[in-house]
Amino acid sequence: MTPGRWIDPATGETLAHQAVLKKAATASVVLLGEQHDKAAQHRWQLHVLAGLLALRPDLAVGYEMFPTRLDPVLARWVAGDFEREDAFLNEAEWGTVWGFPPELYLPLFRFCRQFRIPMHGLNCRRALVTEVGKLGWDAIAEEDRDGVTPSLAATPAYRRYLFELTGGGPPNRKAQGPDDPAMDRFVRTQQVWDRAFACRIAALRDAPEPPLVAGIIGRGHLEFGHGTPAQLADLNVGSVFVLLPHTGHEPPREGLADAVFCMDPDEDVQAAETGTR
């Protein structure tokens, strides 16, 4: 695929950059997917956020990387309270709650700070993911659910997607198919994150003048309308627009997202070799 252009996965047609952003700006929620360790994809997210801000000054950005309990720290960062970035990262518990190199995300954080764009954590406490995966929602007391409601049940299509995403069915794998009960625990854990992100976004939209919420989220929670988009629909959040980077040589599959941006698959390799990350 030719880098530097938007594609409509439903038709394979090229879309104008301005048209994609204008349509995204009319949505209630815009979800920007990523592979966490790809600097070029974070630069793409930054460019999209800048375009959205030009059209929607009420923009707010939610991050998978932070649990909601750290919102006061994020608010202080945006307000300019931290003189040093390492002090912010330390107070935001970056090495514990996320752990990927902060240099990948700092341009996004700096952008929000410079333009005073509200930042919000979309994640829940990590232990909740483990507990629901192991025991199921019914075993978790209401007060221990961290404000997250039980997720909409996974569809057969989502189970199939997760099965394929995690390697399919090699002979030595315990789960030999998407409907195998051996997949249940993994599906439940994935859905805790899906639902947590959706609940946090829904809360941000529950305001007299709701902002346009842009979500910075791993693409596995967004593709093909599964994951967080499905949970947002269950919560009646409104229109959701999913944008993804695309580094494959083949055209994006129909239904992958509302639009994908074609990128050079070697861009991150080139940046690393030249020291321009």
Side-chain angles (χ1 to χ4, degrees), residues 13-256:
E13 295 179 353
T14 298
L15 302 171
H17 179 67
Q18 296 85 347
V20 173
L21 291 183
K22 284 181 180 179
K23 187 171 183 180
T26 66
S28 302
V29 178
V30 179
L31 303 177
L32 304 179
E34 65 175 57
Q35 290 172 276
H36 302 314
D37 60 347
K38 303 299 184 185
Q41 296 186 16
H42 298 303
R43 287 195 293 271
W44 166 80
Q45 290 172 324
L46 175 59
H47 298 155
V48 174
L49 289 178
L52 290 175
L53 179 63
L55 298 169
R56 290 289 299 269
D58 60 338
L59 180 67
V61 183
Y63 290 91
E64 173 187 354
M65 300 77 224
F66 299 107
T68 300
R69 65 177 175 80
L70 291 174
D71 271 15
V73 178
L74 303 184
R76 288 174 53 208
W77 163 259
V78 169
D81 284 1
F82 293 93
E83 293 184 3
R84 294 176 55 90
E85 291 178 343
D86 58 354
F88 161 64
L89 293 170
N90 182 62
E91 195 156 340
E93 305 173 25
W94 183 261
T96 302
V97 301
W98 196 240
F100 283 89
E103 292 78 16
L104 294 169
Y105 291 89
L106 277 169
L108 292 165
F109 303 159
R110 291 167 185 151
F111 171 73
C112 289
R113 179 181 171 103
Q114 187 169 43
F115 287 92
R116 298 298 191 259
I117 301 168
M119 290 174 57
H120 299 277
L122 299 182
N123 223 320
C124 58
R125 61 183 182 89
R126 186 171 295 274
L128 179 64
V129 179
T130 303
E131 292 161 5
V132 174
K134 182 179 180 181
L135 304 171
W137 277 106
D138 291 343
I140 312 301
E142 187 78 27
E143 61 270 20
D144 295 330
R145 292 179 176 179
D146 199 16
V148 182
T149 55
S151 58
L152 177 73
T155 63
Y158 190 29
R159 290 184 67 98
R160 189 179 314 112
Y161 168 81
L162 292 175
F163 181 71
E164 294 173 354
L165 185 70
T166 53
N172 60 343
R173 183 175 181 176
K174 185 176 181 181
Q176 287 297 299
D179 299 323
D180 193 322
M183 277 287 294
D184 290 353
R185 180 169 180 171
F186 175 75
V187 172
R188 284 197 300 267
T189 60
Q190 187 80 358
Q191 287 199 290
V192 176
W193 280 309
D194 295 338
R195 188 71 175 195
F197 306 156
C199 286
R200 306 314 192 200
I201 291 170
L204 294 174
R205 289 285 305 170
D206 186 18
E209 296 183 6
L212 169 61
V213 181
I216 304 296
I217 297 172
R219 63 183 302 143
H221 297 285
L222 308 181
E223 293 184 346
F224 298 103
H226 303 311
T228 297
Q231 300 298 332
L232 285 167
D234 184 58
L235 293 170
N236 298 310
V237 166
S239 57
V240 177
F241 204 66
V242 178
L243 301 176
L244 296 175
H246 183 67
T247 58
H249 296 291
E250 298 298 321
R253 290 166 57 190
E254 184 175 354
L256 179 65

